[in-house]
């Protein structure tokens, strides 16, 4: 359920992106209206989290680096915006438990499988933690592609693809790495299809 601070933040972000970028959103109908959703996107800019989440009706919970939660203003604001901390560069069991709990409670989590922004803009290798979430929960896994340069007044495209079929991987007890690669392939297909369209 969205709170007033989150809804107001969404509104401000939509206004910002509409003024400074020519944002186009494709595939919102691919986001399930209820139940756990793991929303997996490529990561090319610091503004990706608000861009990916602000045009959706459902609240999106993002992981944010733990250091941000020690900042005076952010430590109280980030939880109200749905974010929860993760320690980067190590296996953060608490973040994995929190994420899995939220998915099982029917919430939507936004993750960037690469773990950090791509300096080249190319899709990098996904981390196994994303596959862990996908295999350990019954959530829908929705790939997402952010396409554009983030230059002011240029075009930005956000594409939400159809959910990735995880049933076979779950039945065959696939590894987290295999599940992650399946998810990355879903993102890769969106990037190829829509980059070609221009």
């Amino acid at each position: 359920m969205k709170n007033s601070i989150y809804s107001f933040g969404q509104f401000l972000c939509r206004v910002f992106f509409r003024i400074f970028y020519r944002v186009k959103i494709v595939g919102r109908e691919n986001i399930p209206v209820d139940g756990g959703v793991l929303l997996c996107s490529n990561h090319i800019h610091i503004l990706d989290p608000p861009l990916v989440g602000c045009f959706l009706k459902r609240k999106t919970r993002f992981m944010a680096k733990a250091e941000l939660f020690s900042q005076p203003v952010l430590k109280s604001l980030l939880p109200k915006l749905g974010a929860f901390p993760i320690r980067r560069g190590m296996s953060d069991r608490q973040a994995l438990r929190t994420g899995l709990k939220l998915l099982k409670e029917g919430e939507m989590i936004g993750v960037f499988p690469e773990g950090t922004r791509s300096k080249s803009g190319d899709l990098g290798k996904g981390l196994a933690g994303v596959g862990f979430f996908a295999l350990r929960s019954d959530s829908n896994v929705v790939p997402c592609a952010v396409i554009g340069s983030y230059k002011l007044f240029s075009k930005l495209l956000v594409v939400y693809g159809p959910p990735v079929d995880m049933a076979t991987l779950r039945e065959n007890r696939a590894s987290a790495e295999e599940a992650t690669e399946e998810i990355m392939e879903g993102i890769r297909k969106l990037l190829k299809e829509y980059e070609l369209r221009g």
Side-chain angles (χ1 to χ4, degrees):
M1 183 180 294
K2 291 191 285 189
N3 57 38
S4 57
I5 293 179
Y6 184 91
S7 296
F8 184 62
Q10 272 192 310
F11 169 74
L12 289 180
C13 288
R14 287 195 297 268
V15 171
F16 170 81
F17 285 116
R18 283 171 175 156
I19 290 175
F20 294 105
Y21 300 98
R22 293 185 294 136
V23 178
K24 182 179 180 182
I25 308 296
V26 176
R28 268 183 289 209
E29 69 278 5
N30 288 317
I31 304 290
V33 295
D34 52 28
V37 175
L38 187 62
L39 181 61
C40 302
S41 176
N42 63 318
H43 198 7
I44 58 174
H45 196 276
I46 194 173
L47 292 177
D48 288 341
L51 175 64
V52 167
C54 74
F55 290 96
L56 299 177
K57 291 182 179 180
R58 291 189 64 175
K59 181 176 182 178
T60 311
R61 306 280 302 264
F62 284 98
M63 291 183 179
K65 59 182 181 180
E67 297 89 332
L68 295 177
F69 288 82
S70 63
Q71 303 298 319
V73 176
L74 293 178
K75 68 180 180 182
S76 59
L77 180 61
L78 286 173
K80 293 176 182 176
L81 294 175
F84 59 99
I86 182 169
R87 291 173 295 170
R88 298 195 301 177
M90 62 186 77
S91 177
D92 188 341
R93 293 182 181 277
Q94 181 56 47
L96 291 175
R97 283 195 291 267
T98 299
L100 193 58
K101 178 176 180 291
L102 291 171
L103 288 170
K104 289 183 175 180
E105 290 174 350
E107 298 210 42
M108 180 160 69
I109 293 181
V111 295
F112 300 99
E114 296 159 282
T116 189
R117 294 192 300 275
S118 170
K119 293 180 181 179
S120 66
D122 296 327
L123 188 66
K125 182 178 175 59
L127 302 177
V130 180
F132 170 85
F133 285 141
L135 293 173
R136 293 295 185 91
S137 70
D138 289 326
S139 58
N140 285 287
V141 179
V142 176
C144 173
V146 177
I147 301 170
S149 66
Y150 275 98
K151 290 181 181 178
L152 285 178
F153 308 112
S154 64
K155 181 179 177 181
L156 276 178
L157 176 64
V158 183
V159 185
Y160 304 98
V164 178
D165 182 11
M166 302 301 298
T168 302
L169 291 175
R170 289 168 180 156
E171 290 172 4
N172 293 338
R173 300 183 181 277
S175 67
E177 290 80 6
E178 289 172 322
T180 295
E181 181 50 36
E182 191 73 14
I183 294 167
M184 298 305 287
E185 182 59 26
I187 300 173
R188 198 173 291 118
K189 286 179 180 178
L190 293 178
L191 289 169
K192 287 181 180 177
E193 179 181 355
Y194 286 88
E195 283 177 344
L196 286 174
R197 292 186 185 185

